[in-house]
């Protein structure tokens, strides 16, 4: 099959150092937004559709490793090598809170209800800050087996997901008991973990493979070995029929979710790709690189919805939904072995 010619991306300049994290907001009444973290210490907010620069959050004194927006895109958060996590007003750019840590903060995430901020980093401690009571000491989960690389919320903020810089696997924590209830096993350290928009799937990248997990039963749905060292991956949020991956080869790859076959390979970055994320509508995706740029790519702009929905035999094209139905029928036991 001849591969489609890759579309020309929107190139977003502005960062003076490598771009290490990207985060899209959900669709809001004002559209959707993209925030980027960079080693230049200045997180930037952009229009998620056009890539146009909106503003820069100024105040960190070290590389910013992680960034996120709340569900309304009214507040932003960032984690930095200056040993702090900051919360910002996304409309004015003002700093609202600065939470001091004892070491580098690598990851941060707002809870779904926007009341809590989760952080993790080199201290091997997960912290949960109550943004309604910012002066109160955070809840601390201190049983992480290594430095925290990624964090996320699951199950309506009842579960926390984390991965480590120096050890494989993804750990799932029960917020109430503050214990690890499940570990998703991977060969290498997980550098990217994304919870799907509907909360049903977890996408991980662990250097050698991209894996898709059922977020409720914790079973492995799909696993694809990559021909390059993969640092980040993201699942198309609407149909789940495609996923993207980026890493050391400097290219942004688009794959078929069902077969793992590469559909498109986008070239343009001049350094390793550190992060890739789909826009909330799935029509485009962004990549951030060592070269300091963000590129926004259109997903198969020539395809109509009808073409997307059918394969060559005219049968509806299945994605994550069909796979989900197949594993919905049985329950994968939660092993308590992870409570070591």
């Amino acid at each position: 099959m001849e591969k489609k010619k890759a579309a020309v991306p929107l190139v977003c300049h502005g960062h003076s150092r490598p771009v290490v994290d990207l985060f899209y907001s959900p669709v809001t009444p004002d559209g959707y937004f993209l925030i980027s973290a960079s080693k230049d210490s200045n997180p930037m907010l952009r229009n998620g559709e056009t890539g146009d620069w909106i503003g820069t959050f100024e105040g960190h004194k070290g590389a910013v490793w992680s960034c996120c927006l709340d569900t309304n895109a009214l507040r932003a958060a960032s984690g930095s090598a200056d040993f702090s996590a900051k919360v910002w007003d996304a409309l004015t750019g003002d700093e609202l809170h600065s939470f001091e840590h004892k070491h580098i903060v690598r990851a941060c995430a707002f809870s779904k209800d926007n009341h809590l901020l989760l952080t993790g980093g080199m201290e091997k401690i997960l912290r949960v800050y109550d943004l309604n009571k910012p002066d109160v000491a955070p809840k601390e989960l201190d049983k992480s087996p290594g430095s925290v690389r990624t964090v996320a919320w699951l199950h309506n903020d009842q579960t926390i997901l984390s991965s480590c810089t120096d050890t494989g696997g993804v750990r799932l924590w029960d917020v109430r008991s503050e214990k690890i209830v499940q570990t998703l096993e991977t060969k290498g350290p997980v550098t990217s973990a994304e919870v799907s928009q509907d909360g049903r799937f977890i996408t991980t990248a662990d250097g050698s493979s991209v894996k898709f997990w059922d977020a409720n039963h914790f079973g492995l749905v799909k696993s694809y070995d990559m021909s390059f060292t993969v640092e980040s991956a993201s699942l198309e949020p609407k149909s789940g029929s495609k996923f993207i991956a980026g890493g050391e080869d400097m290219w942004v790859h688009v794959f078929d979710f069902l077969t793992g076959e590469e559909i498109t390979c986008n070239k343009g970055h001049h350094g390793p790709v550190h992060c890739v994320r789909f826009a909330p509508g799935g029509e485009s995706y962004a990549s951030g690189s060592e070269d300091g740029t963000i590129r926004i790519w259109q997903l198969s702009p020539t395809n109509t919805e009808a073409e997307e929905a059918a394969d060559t035999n005219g049968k509806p094209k299945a994605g994550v939904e069909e796979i989900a139905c197949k594993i919905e029928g049985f329950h994968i036991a939660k092993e308590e072995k992870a409570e070591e």
Side-chain angles (χ1 to χ4, degrees):
M1 188 182 80
E2 193 180 334
K3 290 174 184 171
K4 294 185 182 74
K5 192 178 179 188
V8 177
L10 295 166
V11 182
C12 309
H13 297 281
H15 286 297
S16 59
R17 298 283 314 281
V19 176
V20 290
D21 195 25
L22 294 170
F23 185 95
Y24 276 106
S25 76
V27 178
T28 74
D30 298 314
Y32 61 90
F33 301 89
L34 176 65
I35 187 171
S36 53
S38 167
K39 291 183 183 178
D40 66 8
S41 79
N42 296 316
M44 289 187 182
L45 185 68
R46 298 176 185 277
N47 178 306
E49 194 171 354
T50 64
D52 290 342
W53 177 85
I54 293 171
T56 301
F57 301 103
E58 297 178 342
H60 277 299
K61 293 180 172 62
V64 175
W65 286 106
S66 178
C67 58
C68 58
L69 294 161
D70 69 9
T71 50
N72 305 312
L74 296 177
R75 287 178 300 182
S78 51
S80 170
D82 66 7
F83 296 13
S84 77
K86 294 183 186 291
V87 178
W88 313 83
D89 184 316
L91 300 178
T92 65
D94 294 337
E95 182 183 306
L96 300 175
H97 312 294
S98 185
F99 300 118
E100 299 309 311
H101 293 61
K102 295 188 179 77
H103 212 312
I104 293 166
V105 183
R106 284 299 302 259
C108 60
F110 283 107
S111 58
K112 193 175 181 182
D113 66 10
N114 299 330
H115 295 320
L116 306 172
L117 180 72
L118 167 64
T119 68
M122 301 293 277
E123 280 183 88
K124 306 182 183 181
I125 296 170
L126 295 169
R127 289 186 172 87
V128 179
Y129 294 88
D130 185 338
L131 297 176
N132 298 319
K133 303 171 189 169
D135 297 328
V136 174
K139 176 187 279 197
E140 294 189 350
L141 290 72
D142 60 1
K143 298 285 191 296
S144 177
S147 300
V148 178
R149 173 70 186 257
T150 67
V151 297
W153 295 88
L154 277 145
H155 308 146
N156 289 319
D157 306 332
Q158 300 302 305
T159 307
I160 284 171
L161 172 159
S162 72
S163 74
C164 297
T165 307
D166 36 19
T167 180
V170 170
R171 279 141 210 94
L172 297 155
W173 306 69
D174 179 78
V175 174
R176 281 167 295 188
S177 70
E178 301 179 19
K179 289 182 177 173
I180 297 170
V181 293
Q182 184 77 23
T183 298
L184 310 179
E185 300 292 349
T186 62
K187 285 183 200 167
V190 169
T191 50
S192 167
E194 175 190 73
V195 179
S196 64
Q197 228 173 65
D198 59 9
R200 292 172 62 194
F201 298 93
I202 300 165
T203 303
T204 62
D206 61 21
S208 61
S209 69
V210 174
K211 290 179 165 57
F212 302 92
W213 311 81
D214 183 290
N216 297 306
H217 304 318
F218 306 123
L220 181 61
V221 181
K222 288 275 187 185
S223 177
Y224 294 115
D225 289 335
M226 297 286 119
S227 61
F228 57 97
T229 302
V230 59
E231 193 170 334
S232 184
S234 182
L235 181 64
E236 192 279 312
K238 291 303 181 187
S239 69
S241 62
K242 296 181 178 74
F243 69 93
I244 52 173
E248 286 188 4
D249 68 357
M250 308 190 221
W251 301 341
V252 182
H253 304 262
V254 183
F255 297 93
D256 183 287
F257 172 80
L258 274 186
T259 65
E261 182 185 352
E262 185 172 299
I263 300 167
T264 308
C265 177
N266 298 306
K267 302 176 182 182
H269 280 299
H270 302 292
V273 176
H274 295 307
C275 43
V276 293
R277 285 293 178 260
F278 262 107
E283 70 289 338
S284 64
Y285 50 95
S287 55
S289 166
E290 183 75 16
D291 66 15
T293 68
I294 300 160
R295 290 169 192 259
I296 298 175
W297 315 79
Q298 295 302 309
L299 184 67
S300 306
T302 53
N303 285 8
T304 63
E305 282 185 26
E307 285 173 323
E308 278 291 291
D311 66 13
T312 50
N313 300 320
K315 294 176 186 170
K317 197 163 189 179
V320 202
E321 289 300 319
E322 183 175 300
I323 303 292
C325 295
K326 289 176 184 170
I327 60 174
E328 236 20 85
F330 62 90
H331 182 76
I332 297 152
K334 287 192 203 174
E335 300 162 71
E336 295 301 322
K337 63 171 186 179
E339 286 195 28
E340 44 204 50

